[in-house]
Amino acid sequence: MVTELTYTEHLFAGTRDELLAKIEKQLKPKRFKHVQRVEQTAIALAQMNDVDVEKASIAGLVHDYAKQRPDEDFIAAIKQYQLDPILLNYGNAIWHGVVGAELIKHELGIYDEDILNAVRHHTTGAIYMSPLEQIIYTADYIEPARDFPGVDEARQLADKNLAKAVAFQAKYTLAYLVENGKPVYPKSIDTYNAWVPRYPNV
Ligand code: DGI
Ligand code: FE
Ligand code: FE
């Protein structure tokens, strides 16, 4: 467990406890616990993959920061920060990451682009994902309370090969969306094409 921690100044101007307090104000208790489990899972994956543990901690904690914001906040932010207007056709599932990153930047003063991209891409993935982005995408999927068919296979893949865990998730998330008649954000299809054919057997 990471407990008492002062982050490197350029990543977050404060301690982990101060960041936690800001996040707790935004989230219901269940979701607040989820982000702490994602943080711990991300830290473990960071240690296995030689990725900055502080970035993994911050990105894990903030990844769902905006999840409980009202739609109006996202719509206002899409306009204020001149994000792609195509976003207006989607909803909270897509907004809380892509638009949430802008809220995190402006409200929490987190400017590290690797952390912000990890938040932006944590739901849909992306064609290119840095090791940190792959870690947050994966940690969100396999954190200890996740329970769905395939999660143990995803955990085993993540322990061996992070990119394969990304491919696994991209494949099964797209299948889930199609099976349930949900709108597929174009980036989710790009992620599938970029990652799944590399590891067709996962
Ligand atoms: O925020 P969490 O629940 O922790 O996890 P998440 O941000 O990965 O969100 C998962 C949900 O997002 C899951 O129900 C699938 C959905 N999702 C992923 N890609 C897409 C999507 N929903 C839509 N409509 N379109 C997508 O492309
Ligand atoms: Fe999320
Ligand atoms: Fe999450």
Side-chain angles (χ1 to χ4, degrees):
M1 279 286 284
V2 175
T3 47
E4 199 39 59
L5 186 68
T6 300
Y7 292 120
T8 308
E9 177 79 21
H10 74 275
L11 295 178
F12 179 74
T15 65
R16 177 175 175 277
D17 281 347
E18 286 163 349
L19 180 58
L20 272 177
K22 289 181 192 241
I23 294 165
E24 189 170 20
K25 282 197 194 122
Q26 298 283 324
L27 300 178
K28 297 190 180 127
K30 223 173 125 180
R31 174 87 27 200
F32 184 54
K33 289 197 186 101
H34 161 71
V35 301
Q36 292 174 80
R37 288 191 299 269
V38 172
E39 179 206 21
Q40 296 307 317
T41 306
I43 288 171
L45 290 173
Q47 285 164 340
M48 285 191 263
N49 291 280
D50 269 326
V51 167
D52 188 317
V53 167
E54 278 188 63
K55 287 195 192 191
S57 164
I58 296 170
L61 288 176
V62 302
H63 83 280
D64 279 338
Y65 173 80
K67 184 96 176 181
Q68 276 147 8
R69 298 287 277 257
D71 287 357
E72 305 85 76
D73 286 21
F74 292 112
I75 292 163
I78 290 165
K79 293 177 181 160
Q80 183 177 353
Y81 303 121
Q82 299 180 355
L83 304 182
D84 188 344
I86 199 86
L87 281 164
L88 294 169
N89 297 336
Y90 293 85
N92 180 284
I94 300 301
W95 293 340
H96 80 278
V98 179
V99 186
E102 303 306 318
L103 302 179
I104 288 162
K105 190 199 291 193
H106 293 95
E107 295 176 13
L108 300 178
I110 292 171
Y111 300 103
D112 182 88
E113 276 296 317
D114 200 14
I115 294 175
L116 295 174
N117 281 333
V119 175
R120 286 185 182 109
H121 298 151
H122 85 265
T123 307
T124 64
I127 295 173
Y128 175 77
M129 280 190 268
S130 73
L132 180 71
E133 292 177 61
Q134 294 177 49
I135 282 172
I136 299 303
Y137 182 71
T138 301
D140 192 22
Y141 197 60
I142 66 166
E143 60 95 337
R146 292 287 194 207
D147 184 17
F148 55 84
V151 69
D152 282 329
E153 202 180 338
R155 288 183 180 124
Q156 283 165 22
L157 283 172
D159 280 344
K160 286 194 302 233
N161 184 328
L162 193 54
K164 284 191 185 177
V166 170
F168 182 93
Q169 181 179 172
K171 184 172 173 174
Y172 287 97
T173 299
L174 185 60
Y176 161 84
L177 294 171
V178 171
E179 265 166 36
N180 290 281
K182 305 244 189 218
V184 180
Y185 189 58
K187 228 172 205 150
S188 298
I189 298 174
D190 292 343
T191 305
Y192 174 90
N193 281 327
W195 291 85
V196 178
R198 272 162 69 183
Y199 307 105
N201 299 320
V202 298

Short mmCIF file of all heavy atoms in Angstrom, two decimals, residues 31 34-35 63-65 67 92-93 96-97 119 122-123 140 146, ligand 2:
data_model
loop_
_atom_site.label_atom_id
_atom_site.label_comp_id
_atom_site.label_asym_id
_atom_site.label_seq_id
_atom_site.Cartn_x
_atom_site.Cartn_y
_atom_site.Cartn_z
N ARG A 31 -17.51 4.22 -5.56
CA ARG A 31 -16.61 4.62 -6.65
C ARG A 31 -15.27 5.09 -6.07
O ARG A 31 -14.22 4.86 -6.65
CB ARG A 31 -17.31 5.71 -7.48
CG ARG A 31 -16.53 6.36 -8.55
CD ARG A 31 -16.50 5.71 -9.91
NE ARG A 31 -17.62 4.90 -10.29
CZ ARG A 31 -17.55 3.99 -11.27
NH1 ARG A 31 -16.43 3.80 -11.94
NH2 ARG A 31 -18.59 3.27 -11.59
N HIS A 34 -13.32 2.08 -5.51
CA HIS A 34 -12.85 1.54 -6.81
C HIS A 34 -11.58 2.25 -7.27
O HIS A 34 -10.62 1.59 -7.66
CB HIS A 34 -13.97 1.67 -7.86
CG HIS A 34 -13.52 1.60 -9.28
ND1 HIS A 34 -13.07 0.44 -9.88
CD2 HIS A 34 -13.41 2.56 -10.25
CE1 HIS A 34 -12.73 0.69 -11.14
NE2 HIS A 34 -12.93 1.97 -11.39
N VAL A 35 -11.55 3.57 -7.19
CA VAL A 35 -10.36 4.27 -7.71
C VAL A 35 -9.12 3.95 -6.87
O VAL A 35 -8.01 3.90 -7.40
CB VAL A 35 -10.56 5.80 -7.88
CG1 VAL A 35 -11.72 6.08 -8.83
CG2 VAL A 35 -10.73 6.54 -6.58
N HIS A 63 -8.63 8.65 -12.41
CA HIS A 63 -9.17 8.23 -13.71
C HIS A 63 -10.70 8.39 -13.83
O HIS A 63 -11.19 8.69 -14.91
CB HIS A 63 -8.72 6.80 -14.07
CG HIS A 63 -9.55 5.72 -13.47
ND1 HIS A 63 -9.41 5.29 -12.17
CD2 HIS A 63 -10.57 4.97 -14.00
CE1 HIS A 63 -10.28 4.34 -11.92
NE2 HIS A 63 -11.00 4.12 -13.00
N ASP A 64 -11.42 8.20 -12.72
CA ASP A 64 -12.89 8.36 -12.75
C ASP A 64 -13.35 9.62 -12.01
O ASP A 64 -14.52 9.71 -11.60
CB ASP A 64 -13.57 7.13 -12.12
CG ASP A 64 -13.68 5.94 -13.07
OD1 ASP A 64 -13.62 6.15 -14.30
OD2 ASP A 64 -13.83 4.81 -12.56
N TYR A 65 -12.45 10.59 -11.86
CA TYR A 65 -12.75 11.83 -11.13
C TYR A 65 -14.07 12.45 -11.56
O TYR A 65 -14.85 12.96 -10.73
CB TYR A 65 -11.60 12.83 -11.35
CG TYR A 65 -11.81 14.22 -10.82
CD1 TYR A 65 -11.61 14.50 -9.46
CD2 TYR A 65 -12.20 15.25 -11.67
CE1 TYR A 65 -11.79 15.79 -8.97
CE2 TYR A 65 -12.38 16.54 -11.18
CZ TYR A 65 -12.18 16.81 -9.84
OH TYR A 65 -12.36 18.08 -9.36
N LYS A 67 -16.65 10.99 -13.18
CA LYS A 67 -17.71 10.01 -13.48
C LYS A 67 -19.09 10.43 -12.97
O LYS A 67 -20.11 10.09 -13.56
CB LYS A 67 -17.32 8.67 -12.85
CG LYS A 67 -18.27 7.54 -13.15
CD LYS A 67 -17.82 6.69 -14.31
CE LYS A 67 -18.75 5.50 -14.52
NZ LYS A 67 -18.32 4.65 -15.62
N ASN A 92 -22.03 9.94 -20.79
CA ASN A 92 -21.12 9.84 -19.65
C ASN A 92 -20.05 8.77 -19.83
O ASN A 92 -18.90 8.98 -19.42
CB ASN A 92 -21.94 9.58 -18.38
CG ASN A 92 -21.07 9.46 -17.15
OD1 ASN A 92 -20.41 8.45 -16.93
ND2 ASN A 92 -21.01 10.51 -16.34
N ALA A 93 -20.41 7.62 -20.46
CA ALA A 93 -19.44 6.52 -20.59
C ALA A 93 -18.18 7.00 -21.29
O ALA A 93 -17.06 6.62 -20.91
CB ALA A 93 -20.06 5.34 -21.35
N HIS A 96 -16.60 10.84 -19.34
CA HIS A 96 -15.91 10.94 -18.04
C HIS A 96 -14.40 10.78 -18.18
O HIS A 96 -13.66 11.27 -17.33
CB HIS A 96 -16.52 9.97 -17.01
CG HIS A 96 -16.08 8.55 -17.11
ND1 HIS A 96 -16.62 7.65 -18.00
CD2 HIS A 96 -15.15 7.86 -16.41
CE1 HIS A 96 -16.04 6.47 -17.84
NE2 HIS A 96 -15.14 6.57 -16.88
N GLY A 97 -13.96 10.11 -19.27
CA GLY A 97 -12.52 10.01 -19.50
C GLY A 97 -12.01 11.15 -20.38
O GLY A 97 -11.18 11.96 -19.97
N VAL A 119 -6.05 9.05 -18.49
CA VAL A 119 -7.46 9.28 -18.15
C VAL A 119 -8.30 9.32 -19.43
O VAL A 119 -9.34 8.66 -19.53
CB VAL A 119 -7.63 10.59 -17.36
CG1 VAL A 119 -9.11 10.89 -17.11
CG2 VAL A 119 -6.87 10.52 -16.05
N HIS A 122 -8.82 5.79 -20.85
CA HIS A 122 -8.99 4.62 -19.99
C HIS A 122 -10.24 3.79 -20.33
O HIS A 122 -10.30 2.62 -20.01
CB HIS A 122 -8.99 5.00 -18.49
CG HIS A 122 -10.32 5.45 -17.94
ND1 HIS A 122 -10.70 6.77 -17.85
CD2 HIS A 122 -11.36 4.74 -17.43
CE1 HIS A 122 -11.91 6.83 -17.31
NE2 HIS A 122 -12.33 5.62 -17.04
N THR A 123 -11.23 4.39 -21.00
CA THR A 123 -12.44 3.64 -21.33
C THR A 123 -12.36 3.02 -22.72
O THR A 123 -12.74 1.86 -22.91
CB THR A 123 -13.68 4.57 -21.27
OG1 THR A 123 -13.70 5.21 -19.99
CG2 THR A 123 -14.97 3.80 -21.46
N ASP A 140 -8.05 -0.76 -14.53
CA ASP A 140 -9.48 -0.49 -14.38
C ASP A 140 -10.29 -1.75 -14.66
O ASP A 140 -11.34 -1.99 -14.06
CB ASP A 140 -9.85 0.63 -15.36
CG ASP A 140 -11.22 1.22 -15.12
OD1 ASP A 140 -11.73 1.10 -13.99
OD2 ASP A 140 -11.77 1.81 -16.06
N ARG A 146 -13.42 -6.53 -9.62
CA ARG A 146 -14.06 -6.85 -10.91
C ARG A 146 -14.38 -8.33 -10.95
O ARG A 146 -13.54 -9.16 -10.57
CB ARG A 146 -13.12 -6.52 -12.08
CG ARG A 146 -12.86 -5.03 -12.29
CD ARG A 146 -14.05 -4.28 -12.87
NE ARG A 146 -13.67 -2.97 -13.35
CZ ARG A 146 -14.50 -1.93 -13.41
NH1 ARG A 146 -15.75 -2.03 -12.98
NH2 ARG A 146 -14.08 -0.78 -13.87
FE FE B 2 -14.05 4.96 -16.05
#
